[in-house]
Amino acid sequence: MTRKSKQEITCPMDALLRLLMGPWTTYILWTLRQRGPLRFGVLKREVGGISSRMLTERLRTLEEAQVIFREYYPSIPPEVTYGLTRRGLELREVLDALDTLARRWNAEDTDGEVIARELSPAI
């Protein structure tokens, strides 16, 4: 029996899932999916709680992966816009499905908490 190389046993989705699992990544992609191309400042406000440094880091990673594009307009102040590329647009169905699933699970968890409180004995 021969030993399989690391590359042979890697899940074909591994690189994509690692990219999407990065901090804030799905929130950034979901925002660009919902709102379309956005300037950096608007995107930062939409993704509440993210630091400029983290947003810049995630945007660079997504740009390197060719999931988003970056358009720079030499103006004063400089204008930089980010949006989904062809690859990013291919994630629409996945993002929409995750959004639907997350909302359903959230509703179920909320309903479950209400039911659990109703069924628990009063102390």
Side-chain angles (χ1 to χ4, degrees):
M1 175 181 230
T2 61
R3 191 172 186 174
K4 291 185 175 183
S5 72
K6 193 173 185 179
Q7 187 175 10
E8 289 177 311
I9 56 175
T10 300
C11 173
M13 296 176 286
D14 188 57
L16 175 60
L17 291 175
R18 286 179 188 271
L19 175 70
L20 295 177
M21 287 185 338
W24 299 96
T25 302
T26 52
Y27 197 173
I28 293 166
L29 292 173
W30 181 78
T31 301
L32 291 172
R33 162 69 175 112
Q34 298 296 316
R35 300 276 319 273
L38 296 172
R39 290 179 64 176
F40 183 88
V42 175
L43 183 57
K44 185 176 182 305
R45 282 190 297 277
E46 290 290 320
V47 182
I50 192 169
S51 69
S52 294
R53 180 179 176 197
M54 178 58 74
L55 180 57
T56 298
E57 180 184 307
R58 298 313 307 153
L59 290 171
R60 284 183 181 152
T61 300
L62 291 167
E63 185 181 10
E64 287 172 10
Q66 300 175 11
V67 175
I68 65 166
F69 66 83
R70 176 184 187 270
E71 287 183 349
Y72 172 78
Y73 302 101
S75 61
I76 299 175
E79 192 175 318
V80 181
T81 302
Y82 296 91
L84 298 176
T85 62
R86 178 190 56 79
R87 276 186 170 188
L89 292 171
E90 287 179 327
L91 290 170
R92 283 183 297 207
E93 291 180 23
V94 173
L95 293 170
D96 290 347
L98 287 172
D99 179 48
T100 300
L101 183 62
R103 290 174 192 271
R104 186 173 72 236
W105 284 11
N106 187 34
E108 289 172 1
D109 290 348
T110 302
D111 291 343
E113 290 172 14
V114 170
I115 292 169
R117 280 193 302 258
E118 290 172 356
L119 295 177
S120 66
I123 297 177

